[in-house]
Amino acid sequence: MAFRIDDLHHVQLLIPGGGEAVARAFYAGVLGMAEVRKPPALAARGGCWFRAGGWEVHLGPVPDFTPAAKAHPGVLVEDLDALAGVLRAAGHPVEWDPHFPGHRRLYSADGHGNRLEFLEPIVGRIAGE
Protein backbone atom coordinates (compact mmCIF):
# COMPACT_ATOMS: atom_id res chain seq x y z
CA MET A 1 0.00 0.00 0.00
CA ALA A 2 1.42 3.40 -0.96
CA PHE A 3 -0.17 5.38 1.86
CA ARG A 4 -1.02 5.02 5.52
CA ILE A 5 -3.55 6.61 7.80
CA ASP A 6 -1.80 8.06 10.86
CA ASP A 7 -4.40 9.64 13.09
CA LEU A 8 -7.69 11.48 13.27
CA HIS A 9 -7.41 15.23 12.79
CA HIS A 10 -10.99 16.26 13.56
CA VAL A 11 -14.62 15.28 13.50
CA GLN A 12 -17.32 17.62 12.15
CA LEU A 13 -20.61 17.92 14.03
CA LEU A 14 -23.53 20.13 13.13
CA ILE A 15 -25.20 22.82 15.22
CA PRO A 16 -28.10 25.15 14.53
CA GLY A 17 -27.35 28.61 13.16
CA GLY A 18 -26.39 30.89 16.05
CA GLY A 19 -25.63 27.88 18.27
CA GLU A 20 -22.02 28.80 19.02
CA ALA A 21 -22.68 29.98 22.60
CA VAL A 22 -24.32 26.66 23.52
CA ALA A 23 -21.41 24.80 21.86
CA ARG A 24 -18.87 26.88 23.80
CA ALA A 25 -20.71 26.25 27.07
CA PHE A 26 -20.43 22.48 26.52
CA TYR A 27 -17.09 21.93 24.78
CA ALA A 28 -15.09 24.65 26.57
CA GLY A 29 -17.16 24.94 29.74
CA VAL A 30 -18.11 21.34 30.56
CA LEU A 31 -15.37 19.37 28.79
CA GLY A 32 -12.63 22.00 29.26
CA MET A 33 -11.53 21.91 25.62
CA ALA A 34 -9.56 24.84 24.19
CA GLU A 35 -11.23 26.83 21.45
CA VAL A 36 -9.19 26.91 18.24
CA ARG A 37 -9.20 30.06 16.17
CA LYS A 38 -10.69 29.35 12.75
CA PRO A 39 -8.93 30.71 9.66
CA PRO A 40 -10.64 33.98 8.56
CA ALA A 41 -12.17 32.50 5.39
CA LEU A 42 -13.75 29.71 7.45
CA ALA A 43 -14.67 31.92 10.42
CA ALA A 44 -16.98 33.87 8.11
CA ARG A 45 -19.13 30.73 7.82
CA GLY A 46 -19.83 30.66 11.56
CA GLY A 47 -19.35 27.74 13.89
CA CYS A 48 -16.46 27.04 16.24
CA TRP A 49 -13.63 24.56 16.74
CA PHE A 50 -12.29 22.95 19.93
CA ARG A 51 -9.26 20.79 20.76
CA ALA A 52 -8.16 18.63 23.70
CA GLY A 53 -5.74 15.73 23.93
CA GLY A 54 -5.74 13.87 20.64
CA TRP A 55 -9.03 15.06 19.19
CA GLU A 56 -10.52 18.17 17.65
CA VAL A 57 -14.19 18.86 17.01
CA HIS A 58 -15.40 21.32 14.36
CA LEU A 59 -18.96 22.54 14.85
CA GLY A 60 -20.66 23.90 11.75
CA PRO A 61 -24.03 25.66 11.62
CA VAL A 62 -26.72 24.48 9.22
CA PRO A 63 -30.18 25.95 8.60
CA ASP A 64 -32.23 22.77 9.14
CA PHE A 65 -30.28 21.33 12.07
CA THR A 66 -31.13 17.91 13.48
CA PRO A 67 -28.84 16.44 16.16
CA ALA A 68 -26.87 13.32 15.33
CA ALA A 69 -28.72 10.64 17.31
CA LYS A 70 -26.67 7.63 16.16
CA ALA A 71 -23.52 8.91 14.42
CA HIS A 72 -20.93 10.05 16.97
CA PRO A 73 -17.25 10.49 17.72
CA GLY A 74 -15.72 7.93 20.08
CA VAL A 75 -13.37 9.75 22.45
CA LEU A 76 -10.77 8.03 24.65
CA VAL A 77 -10.62 9.51 28.15
CA GLU A 78 -8.84 8.94 31.42
CA ASP A 79 -11.09 8.65 34.53
CA LEU A 80 -14.45 7.99 32.92
CA ASP A 81 -16.17 8.13 36.31
CA ALA A 82 -14.96 11.69 36.87
CA LEU A 83 -16.21 12.69 33.42
CA ALA A 84 -19.60 11.10 34.15
CA GLY A 85 -19.84 13.21 37.31
CA VAL A 86 -18.97 16.40 35.42
CA LEU A 87 -21.53 15.64 32.70
CA ARG A 88 -24.29 14.89 35.23
CA ALA A 89 -23.50 17.99 37.28
CA ALA A 90 -23.82 20.09 34.12
CA GLY A 91 -27.20 18.49 33.30
CA HIS A 92 -26.04 16.28 30.42
CA PRO A 93 -27.22 12.67 30.09
CA VAL A 94 -24.96 9.77 31.03
CA GLU A 95 -25.85 6.36 29.59
CA TRP A 96 -23.45 3.57 30.51
CA ASP A 97 -22.96 0.78 27.97
CA PRO A 98 -20.91 -2.29 28.97
CA HIS A 99 -20.88 -3.87 25.49
CA PHE A 100 -17.52 -2.73 24.09
CA PRO A 101 -14.76 -5.29 24.73
CA GLY A 102 -11.73 -4.01 26.60
CA HIS A 103 -13.29 -0.65 27.47
CA ARG A 104 -15.72 1.01 29.82
CA ARG A 105 -17.90 3.45 27.94
CA LEU A 106 -20.73 5.88 28.22
CA TYR A 107 -22.82 7.96 25.89
CA SER A 108 -23.81 11.55 26.44
CA ALA A 109 -24.93 14.50 24.31
CA ASP A 110 -23.66 18.01 23.76
CA GLY A 111 -25.85 21.07 24.33
CA HIS A 112 -27.46 20.61 20.91
CA GLY A 113 -28.24 16.91 21.41
CA ASN A 114 -25.40 15.45 19.31
CA ARG A 115 -24.45 11.99 20.56
CA LEU A 116 -20.95 11.55 22.02
CA GLU A 117 -19.24 8.32 23.08
CA PHE A 118 -16.52 8.36 25.75
CA LEU A 119 -14.35 5.27 26.31
CA GLU A 120 -11.73 4.28 28.85
CA PRO A 121 -9.57 1.18 28.31
CA ILE A 122 -9.95 -1.48 30.98
CA VAL A 123 -6.57 -2.05 32.60
CA GLY A 124 -6.46 -4.58 35.40
CA ARG A 125 -10.26 -4.48 35.86
CA ILE A 126 -12.91 -7.06 35.27
CA ALA A 127 -15.36 -6.01 32.55
CA GLY A 128 -18.66 -4.83 33.98
CA GLU A 129 -17.19 -3.51 37.26
Side-chain angles (χ1 to χ4, degrees):
M1 191 173 272
F3 70 91
R4 73 172 197 223
I5 296 173
D6 287 330
D7 208 345
L8 175 68
H9 182 273
H10 71 274
V11 61
Q12 171 89 33
L13 296 177
L14 302 178
I15 60 173
E20 290 85 355
V22 170
R24 286 183 178 100
F26 181 77
Y27 290 96
V30 176
L31 296 184
M33 297 178 78
E35 187 164 356
V36 176
R37 176 176 276 171
K38 292 178 69 172
L42 299 177
R45 300 177 188 174
C48 41
W49 296 356
F50 299 91
R51 179 184 302 139
W55 81 298
E56 194 168 298
V57 60
H58 295 182
L59 300 154
V62 294
D64 296 323
F65 170 75
T66 301
K70 184 71 174 170
H72 60 272
V75 183
L76 289 170
V77 300
E78 191 173 303
D79 200 344
L80 193 60
D81 294 306
L83 173 60
V86 167
L87 290 166
R88 281 192 189 104
H92 294 276
V94 172
E95 177 188 337
W96 290 94
D97 184 345
H99 303 292
F100 196 89
H103 294 78
R104 297 177 66 227
R105 75 173 172 175
L106 66 81
Y107 291 101
S108 190
D110 69 12
H112 293 294
N114 289 309
R115 186 179 199 198
L116 304 170
E117 178 181 350
F118 297 98
L119 304 104
E120 180 177 39
I122 296 171
V123 178
R125 296 181 85 161
I126 298 171
E129 275 191 336

